Amino acid sequence: MESLGTILSLVGLIIIIWGIVRVFKRKKLKEQWKILIPGLIILIVGGIVMPTKAEPVSSEKVQPDKKEVVQKEKAVPKSETEKKEEKETKTEKVATNETDKKKDSKSEEQKLNQTSSINKSETVNNEEDKKTSSETNTSNDVGKEALLALESNDFIKFTNEYKKLKENKTAVWDNQLYGKKVTWTGTVVRAGTSELFVYGGEDYHGESWNDLGDTNRLYTSFVAKYASGTKDEFKKLNTGDKITVKGDLESRGDYDLGYHWKIYNAVIIKK
C-alpha cells in the first residue's frame, strides 16, 4: 500500500506540474483545467493511500526479553576457538585442584611428622625421667647407710660409710648428702681468721694441717667456715682443743684424692 500511494502521488504531481507548464506556455487556463484537475485528484488519492508515518517504537518494545536473548546466545554454536579456550580453562582448573590437593596432602604430612616428633620427644623425656628416677631410687637405697651415719653426727663413722660407696659416691652425694645440716666433733688443728681446721680422728698429736695431708689423713678432717658474727668465738680456740660445731655440708671429701670436707655457716656447739 505504501508503494502504490507513493506512485500515485508522484504521477499526480507530475501531471500538475505538466499542466502548470502548459498554462504558462499557452496562457490558456481554461483548457489546462482538464489536466490539472485529474493530476490533483491522483495526488490526493496517492496521499490517502500512503499510510501515516509510523510512531516511533519505544526502546522497551524493541528490546527483546532477556530470557530470549539468553536462549538465543545459548543456541549459537560455539566456535572452535571458544571450545579450545573452554577446554584450556577446565584443564587449568583441574591442575589447580590437583595442586591444592598436593598442598593439603603435604600440610597433613607435615602435621603428622610434627606430631610424631613431639610424641618421640615426649617418649624420650619420659624414658629419661624414668631412668633418672630409677637412678635416684637406686642411689637412695645404696646411700642409706651413709645417710644414717651422717644423721648420727658421728663424723668418722660417716666417712667410713661414704668410702664404701665407691662408684656411687657422686649420685649419693648429689641426691642425699649435699646441703645437709651436720654436727661434727673433732680436734682443733688451727683457728684461722675465717675458718676452723679440725681433725676428726682420735690419733691427733699436734700435727699441722700440711702434716695431715702428707699422711693421707685429710679425708677424716674438715674445715668449718665461720657463720657471720661468730669469728671472735672461734679465735679463742687453740690447737688440740676438742670442739663440736654445727653447719651446712656443702663440700665433700675424697679418700683416694686426699680431699677434706667443708661445712659453712658454722657455729660452736660445745667446747
Side-chain angles (χ1 to χ4, degrees):
M1 291 297 290
E2 183 178 355
S3 299
L4 179 60
T6 302
I7 292 170
L8 291 174
S9 298
L10 290 173
V11 172
L13 185 59
I14 291 169
I15 293 173
I16 291 171
I17 293 171
W18 182 48
I20 292 171
V21 172
R22 286 175 61 87
V23 168
F24 282 103
K25 283 185 177 182
R26 299 182 181 182
K27 297 183 181 181
K28 293 179 180 181
L29 183 58
K30 291 181 179 181
E31 292 181 2
Q32 304 307 321
W33 280 114
K34 295 179 181 181
I35 297 174
L36 293 172
I37 290 173
L40 183 60
I41 292 171
I42 292 170
L43 180 62
I44 292 170
V45 171
I48 293 172
V49 171
M50 287 181 66
T52 58
K53 188 176 180 182
E55 294 181 359
V57 180
S58 67
S59 60
E60 294 180 357
K61 293 181 180 179
V62 173
Q63 292 178 351
D65 187 64
K66 290 183 178 180
K67 292 182 179 179
E68 293 178 359
V69 173
V70 172
Q71 290 176 355
K72 287 180 181 180
E73 290 177 352
K74 287 182 178 180
V76 177
K78 295 180 179 179
S79 65
E80 291 298 326
T81 303
E82 291 176 340
K83 289 180 179 179
K84 186 176 180 180
E85 290 177 353
E86 184 177 353
K87 185 177 180 180
E88 290 176 352
T89 302
K90 289 181 179 179
T91 303
E92 289 176 358
K93 287 182 179 179
V94 171
T96 302
N97 292 335
E98 290 179 353
T99 302
D100 292 340
K101 287 180 180 179
K102 288 180 180 179
K103 287 182 179 179
D104 294 338
S105 177
K106 286 183 179 180
S107 178
E108 290 296 329
E109 186 177 351
Q110 289 176 352
K111 288 180 181 178
L112 290 174
N113 290 336
Q114 289 177 355
T115 303
S116 177
S117 298
I118 291 171
N119 291 335
K120 286 181 180 179
S121 178
E122 290 177 351
T123 302
V124 171
N125 290 336
N126 290 335
E127 290 177 354
E128 289 179 352
D129 291 340
K130 289 179 181 178
K131 185 177 180 181
T132 303
S133 177
S134 177
E135 290 176 351
T136 302
N137 292 333
T138 302
S139 66
N140 288 343
D141 294 336
V142 173
K144 183 178 179 181
E145 294 300 324
L147 180 61
L148 290 174
L150 182 73
E151 292 173 348
S152 71
N153 295 325
D154 188 332
F155 176 62
I156 296 300
K157 181 180 179 180
F158 165 69
T159 57
N160 289 332
E161 290 296 332
Y162 186 79
K163 184 167 60 174
K164 294 176 184 178
L165 294 173
K166 297 182 179 179
E167 68 273 6
N168 295 313
K169 290 185 295 186
T170 299
V172 173
W173 169 259
D174 291 340
N175 296 320
Q176 294 179 263
L177 304 178
Y178 176 80
K180 289 284 187 178
K181 287 282 186 183
V182 296
T183 302
W184 287 342
T185 300
T187 304
V188 175
V189 176
R190 178 168 59 87
T193 56
S194 61
E195 297 175 331
L196 182 69
F197 298 85
V198 181
Y199 176 66
E202 296 295 332
D203 57 340
Y204 182 71
H205 303 291
E207 296 92 339
S208 68
W209 192 256
N210 289 333
D211 293 336
L212 293 174
D214 294 339
T215 55
N216 198 25
R217 287 189 287 170
L218 287 181
Y219 177 67
T220 52
S221 304
F222 64 89
V223 174
K225 178 77 173 178
Y226 305 154
S228 178
T230 61
K231 180 178 179 180
D232 292 338
E233 293 183 35
F234 282 99
K235 286 176 68 176
K236 297 176 183 179
L237 297 172
N238 298 309
T239 301
D241 289 344
K242 286 289 185 179
I243 188 72
T244 299
V245 294
K246 182 178 182 179
D248 302 323
L249 179 59
E250 295 184 10
S251 181
R252 58 174 169 157
D254 190 285
Y255 178 79
D256 296 323
L257 298 176
Y259 291 164
H260 63 269
W261 303 81
K262 189 170 185 178
I263 61 177
Y264 291 77
N265 300 314
V267 294
I268 298 174
I269 300 299
K270 182 181 178 182
K271 292 183 181 178

